[in-house]
Amino acid sequence: MYKVSHKELKAWVEEVKAMCKPDSVHWCDGSQEEYQQMLQVMVDAGLGTPLNSKKRPGCYLFRSHPSDVARVENRTFIASKKMEDAPSPDVWVEPEELKATMRKSYDGCMKGRTMYVIPFSMGPIGSPISKIGVEISDSPYVAFNMKIMTRIGAAVIDALGSDGEYVRCLHSVGSPLAEGEKDKAWPCAPSIDDKYISHFPEERMIWSYGSGYGGNALLGKKCFALRIAAVQARDEGWLAEHMLILKLTDPNGKVHYVCGAFPSACGKTNLAMLEPTVPGWKVETIGDDIAWMKFGKDGRLYAINPEAGFFGVVPGTSMKSNPNAMKQIQTNTIFTNVGLTDDGDVWWEGSGMPAPSHLIDWKGKDWTPDSGELAAHANARFTTPAEQCPVIAPEWEDPAGVPISAILVGGRRKTTVPLVNESRDWNHGVFLGSIMGSEITTAAITDNVGQVRRDPFAMLPFFGYNKGDYLQHWLDIGKNADASKLPKIYFVNWFRKNADDKFIWPGFGENSRVLKWIIERLSGTGKAAETPIGNLPTADAIDLNGLNLSAKDMEELLKIDKDEWKAEIESIREDYKTYGTRLPKALADELDKMEKRLNL
Ligand code: GTP
Ligand code: SPV
Ligand code: MN
């Protein structure tokens, strides 16, 4: 064990220990041996499966409880002191009231378990953009996932020193064990109403209870790096965003860095590591989910990836859709909720690998191709070290970050929104970010065209404070900057569909064609036409060489339909009402200006 000189941290750990009453306390040192031991604890208890070491060396499979498979947005709370400082009234609870309720749940909740103390750094340790957190959790699964997703251990304690600032992250699966009781395969609170994912932004504190899955439990990710960090970013003049970061090298060897905000399951991981189909262009990865951006001395925005691993959606990942991810998850990867084949490998829908005649599905049951059930849960995930990504950029851990030239925003829209649209200026770009969204798709209703869930900057589930203030912060960032040095904002949509309900744009690696146009625009050579909604590529501006896409399809992808935009404006006005008095005036003005330009 290392020495901890931070008195306040030690006191907090003691306080939590007294409340949660674990059998033992383990301070994580972050070593590889410790990682292996934590995995082994679960394997020995029959709660995890090492995969075939010839096929997937260093890989393990875990199965969650069928009730604990994704983030629980309706149990996510922002407990700011004032209700109007929360993103919306329905996620707000008075902080002291919430703490009182949760203390009752936490009382004795770690009985029979080990309490892991996980010091972690979001971002390279010591970077001026990085921040430290300490997660206390009674889940070894959380501890070894945090080892992959963040930088943990002794080096963080060193960086924290005797009085460094850190975010307190408390997590329990909420399933104490009685004397001699055998553990459940995946302990968690039995009912959804017992789960809490709570944030106390003014205290920079997170309390999570009852779930062991993903963003509910790996508190460095959405809870800290987005919800709490967004509040820190507002107060300190920077941006904490739900964005991938990629590095693009053009045929002349010139390097460009691009961020992209797409909602969950809308293509961040895929874009971050795409294989460009346009000759001479190269894509490398900096990050696949979160970007923290600060102004450098030269007045440009610099981004770091605060994470150290990728927690990616497994189903649909194949050599065709994402060959780099496929290579990355061949070794040292934790799989959660995929199928286990008879030869100790994993399988999932959309893997491009033929379905085996038998496997054990994500629920632990026998499965055959005729079972009529999914072998892997739709939100099955891999946890894999970023450094294993075959196209990780050498500078991905540069403490200074990388200078951003363009920011993409966009959701899943089958109509209305063109393939790519360049903002006129910063405020117009923020406006485009504020109106992005996706069609609501449920298993039951697949074609409810027009029902759009607005998801500003892909942050709807991740706001840590009032959403109008959040957009005002984006406007302020622009107001206080040298406009010529700001990244340009582009509204993209890979998901427009034709009358047969098929995607018109091939997507994935072909998205490099859109990236190419964006870089051409930034360097002054790309062709565009001014339209009422923004600057769109002219019919021949996007390089379609070698792509089998008709001129008619391209026309469809870039179409601005007046009726659709009329409906769109009405729908945006409805959404803007939900901001009440906190809607920034500049955005209301942008909407009016666009309506005027459309001359509907
Ligand atoms: P989270 O990790 O949940 O935040 O999701 P993400 O934004 O990283 O999305 P991801 O890259 O995992 O992709 C989600 C789904 O979108 C997968 O089913 C992909 O196959 C699909 N997808 C990604 N890129 C494209 C694209 O360019 N076109 C189409 N049609 N589908 C895509
Ligand atoms: C998302 O839901 O946006 C994810 C998965 O990336 S989780 O980390 O669980 O939030
Ligand atoms: Mn992802």
Side-chain angles (χ1 to χ4, degrees), residues 13 22 62-63 74 143 169 175 188 190 233 240 247 255 285 292 332 381 425 436 516 527 529 554 573 575 588:
V13 172
F62 293 84
R63 295 187 195 103
N74 61 351
C169 308
S175 186
C188 59
K247 173 187 179 184
V255 168
T285 313
W292 283 0
N332 309 319
R381 296 265 169 176
D425 53 33
M436 63 181 263
K516 179 183 173 193
K527 286 194 282 180
M554 200 60 214
R573 286 206 189 282
D575 180 61

Side-chain angles (χ1 to χ4, degrees), residues 126-137:
S127 156
I129 312 182
S130 298
K131 299 249 178 218
I132 288 174
V134 178
E135 176 159 359
I136 296 181
S137 172

Side-chain angles (χ1 to χ4, degrees), residues 222 242 262-270 289 311 313 315 381 412 494-495 503 507-508 511:
K222 310 291 186 178
H242 190 200
F262 307 136
S264 301
C266 290
K268 288 183 299 300
T269 299
N270 274 274
D289 197 47
F311 185 64
V313 178
R381 296 265 169 176
R412 278 178 189 263
W494 318 137
F495 300 97
F503 292 120
F508 301 99
N511 293 333

Side-chain angles (χ1 to χ4, degrees), residues 156-219:
V156 180
I157 288 292
D158 277 352
L160 199 53
S162 59
D163 60 356
E165 230 185 79
Y166 70 99
V167 172
R168 282 170 291 167
C169 308
L170 173 55
H171 169 254
S172 171
V173 293
S175 186
L177 292 168
E179 192 75 39
E181 184 184 340
K182 191 173 170 312
D183 204 355
K184 296 170 196 73
W186 180 276
C188 59
S191 150
I192 176 93
D193 295 333
D194 297 330
K195 299 183 206 254
Y196 291 87
I197 319 298
S198 304
H199 306 72
F200 303 89
E202 285 108 351
E203 289 178 68
R204 315 287 197 238
M205 186 169 85
I206 301 156
W207 277 13
S208 167
Y209 181 88
S211 165
Y213 205 88
N216 299 333
L218 309 176
L219 301 184

Side-chain angles (χ1 to χ4, degrees), residues 197-271:
I197 319 298
S198 304
H199 306 72
F200 303 89
E202 285 108 351
E203 289 178 68
R204 315 287 197 238
M205 186 169 85
I206 301 156
W207 277 13
S208 167
Y209 181 88
S211 165
Y213 205 88
N216 299 333
L218 309 176
L219 301 184
K221 201 172 179 53
K222 310 291 186 178
C223 296
F224 178 175
L226 291 179
R227 298 192 191 99
I228 297 293
V231 176
Q232 297 174 314
R234 177 199 60 190
D235 294 350
E236 299 164 10
W238 51 284
L239 293 165
E241 299 299 329
H242 190 200
M243 292 182 184
L244 69 100
I245 313 165
L246 64 79
K247 173 187 179 184
L248 197 59
T249 308
D250 69 24
N252 301 321
K254 189 156 187 253
V255 168
H256 317 264
Y257 298 97
V258 177
C259 286
F262 307 136
S264 301
C266 290
K268 288 183 299 300
T269 299
N270 274 274
L271 193 74

